[in-house]
């Protein structure tokens, strides 16, 4: 498949997902769900070598994405800054998005995939409980759980379709993206589970949330986050060198992300 055809496939699947999650009433009160193109490309790549029709492939990928969107939507309920009505609607939106994946799978009649993805949902929720308990004794264990929550659905999907060699790369890419997002949230003054965890491990007796910490403590945690992002970047770089053949669009996307990080890291170092 050419780069243009792959781009068209990505756009078509994204449009399918947008059509499914479109709900005028919900969008009056909560943000439209984020549709992660990197995840779509990873899922598409995991179907390489199979003889599914374009319709079937789109339904499979959209199904996995709807589950991820539902899980991400439920996670947003932990943001205590939201108004009560918005929080309640966010819960309902997550349930609504969850129900949509059964509708899509019914169209391709793949009962086994339903069971496999249900296992993925169970695993992700179990790791999320561990994340929000903050009971781990070190940041490395926390990051391991965060990686599993980000990649749990994709891992099950890839195992089902026989794409195990792609799992490690997917885990590292999704963790890298999540860490970058958490840092961006913290820098914008928003709540961040990563920075709350780093605060817990670094200052166990500190009751104030990260955003209310003194500047010196904030800076220390930002430096620590940079170290973990760099570690994640290096793991991703190593996985990419060993990865099986990727579709051109996915490979280009990963290289763009990595180059953006290198430029940001260089500027960050120069500014001290």
């Amino acid at each position: 498949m050419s780069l243009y055809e792959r781009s068209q496939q990505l756009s078509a699947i994204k449009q399918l997902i947008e059509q499914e999650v479109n709900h005028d009433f919900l969008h009056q009160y909560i943000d439209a769900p984020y549709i992660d193109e990197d995840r779509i490309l990873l899922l598409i790549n995991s179907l390489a070598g199979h003889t599914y029709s374009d319709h079937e492939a789109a339904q499979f990928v959209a199904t996995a994405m709807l589950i991820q969107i539902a899980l991400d939507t439920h996670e947003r309920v932990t943001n205590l800054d939201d108004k009560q009505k918005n929080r309640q609607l966010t819960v309902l939106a997550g349930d609504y998005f969850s129900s949509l994946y059964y509708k899509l799978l019914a169209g391709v009649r793949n009962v086994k995939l339903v069971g496999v993805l249900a296992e993925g949902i169970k695993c992700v929720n179990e790791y999320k409980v561990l994340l929000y308990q903050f009971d781990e004794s070190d940041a490395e264990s926390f990051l391991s759980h965060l990686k599993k929550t980000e990649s749990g659905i994709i891992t099950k999907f890839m195992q089902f379709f026989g794409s195990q060699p792609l799992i490690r790369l997917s885990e590292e890419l999704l963790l890298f993206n999540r860490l970058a997002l958490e840092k961006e949230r913290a820098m914008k003054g928003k709540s961040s589970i990563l920075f709350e965890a780093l605060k817990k491990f670094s200052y166990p007796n500190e009751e104030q949330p990260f955003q209310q910490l003194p500047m010196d403590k904030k800076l220390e945690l930002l430096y620590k986050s940079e170290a973990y992002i760099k570690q994640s970047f290096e793991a991703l770089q190593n996985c990419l060198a060993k990865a099986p053949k990727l579709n051109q669009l996915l490979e280009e996307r990963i290289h763009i992300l990595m180059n953006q990080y290198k430029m940001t890291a260089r500027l960050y170092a120069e500014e001290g």
Side-chain angles (χ1 to χ4, degrees):
M1 187 177 289
S2 69
L3 183 61
Y4 173 76
E5 291 171 328
R6 186 68 72 191
S7 298
Q8 291 294 101
Q9 182 185 30
L10 171 62
S11 297
I13 293 175
K14 188 173 180 180
Q15 184 176 16
L16 171 61
I17 298 167
E18 288 172 343
Q19 290 172 350
E20 291 293 336
V21 301
N22 183 44
H23 195 295
D24 291 339
F25 175 74
L26 289 175
H27 292 172
Q28 291 178 34
Y29 296 95
I30 63 174
D31 294 335
Y34 172 64
I35 301 173
D36 187 344
E37 293 186 2
D38 290 345
R39 288 182 186 274
I40 295 176
L41 289 170
L42 287 167
L43 292 165
I44 289 173
N45 206 122
S46 67
L47 294 174
H50 291 280
T51 57
Y52 297 114
S53 68
D54 289 344
H55 171 74
E56 287 175 317
Q59 299 293 93
F60 291 149
V61 173
T63 293
M65 288 298 299
L66 284 171
I67 293 174
Q68 189 65 51
I69 288 170
L71 290 167
D72 292 345
T73 300
H74 279 141
E75 187 173 353
R76 285 164 51 190
V77 180
T78 59
N79 184 356
L80 298 179
D81 296 331
D82 289 343
K83 295 179 181 178
Q84 182 66 19
K85 182 175 182 178
N86 290 28
R87 285 164 56 79
Q88 292 171 341
L89 286 171
T90 300
V91 173
L92 291 174
D95 294 340
Y96 172 66
F97 298 150
S98 295
S99 68
L100 293 176
Y101 91 89
Y102 289 107
K103 171 189 168 185
L104 284 181
L105 280 181
V108 290
R109 299 179 182 179
N110 196 316
V111 177
K112 290 183 179 179
L113 183 56
V114 174
V116 167
L117 293 178
E119 289 178 13
I121 295 171
K122 176 176 177 290
C123 290
V124 169
N125 285 330
E126 287 174 350
Y127 279 112
K128 281 191 177 182
V129 170
L130 294 174
L131 281 180
Y132 283 94
Q133 284 177 339
F134 290 142
D135 285 341
E136 295 298 338
S137 59
D138 58 79
E140 284 71 20
S141 297
F142 174 86
L143 291 172
S144 176
H145 293 332
L146 186 61
K147 180 189 291 185
K148 295 300 182 184
T149 65
E150 287 297 302
S151 60
I153 299 302
I154 275 186
T155 293
K156 289 294 184 182
F157 189 95
M158 290 180 172
Q159 289 172 343
F160 181 82
F161 288 105
S163 298
Q164 284 85 344
L166 195 57
I167 291 175
R168 179 72 192 284
L169 174 67
S170 301
E171 289 179 341
E172 298 301 341
L173 174 59
L174 295 175
L175 177 62
F176 177 74
N177 283 348
R178 178 62 185 268
L179 293 178
L181 176 62
E182 291 295 321
K183 182 187 173 187
E184 180 182 345
R185 287 183 59 83
M187 296 290 285
K188 290 181 177 179
K190 298 180 180 180
S191 61
S192 164
I193 186 174
L194 171 64
F195 282 83
E196 292 304 322
L198 292 178
K199 184 207 72 174
K200 175 74 173 179
F201 303 137
S202 301
Y203 309 114
N205 298 321
E206 179 62 70
E207 296 183 0
Q208 297 289 341
F210 169 78
Q211 295 297 348
Q212 296 178 22
L213 292 177
M215 185 56 67
D216 60 331
K217 289 185 176 181
K218 279 187 177 181
L219 288 174
E220 182 180 345
L221 296 182
L222 282 167
Y223 287 135
K224 286 188 177 182
S225 75
E226 273 300 315
Y228 289 119
I229 293 174
K230 180 181 178 182
Q231 178 180 310
S232 177
F233 169 82
E234 291 172 349
L236 173 60
Q237 197 172 35
N238 184 53
C239 284
L240 185 60
K242 300 177 181 178
K245 182 175 176 58
L246 304 177
N247 70 63
Q248 187 178 352
L249 196 56
L250 174 58
E251 189 168 0
E252 285 188 1
R253 170 64 180 167
I254 295 175
H255 281 298
I256 289 171
L257 287 171
M258 294 174 70
N259 288 334
Q260 286 175 342
Y261 168 75
K262 289 177 183 177
M263 291 177 62
T264 303
R266 189 180 305 118
L267 291 172
Y268 188 78
E270 290 174 355
E271 293 174 359

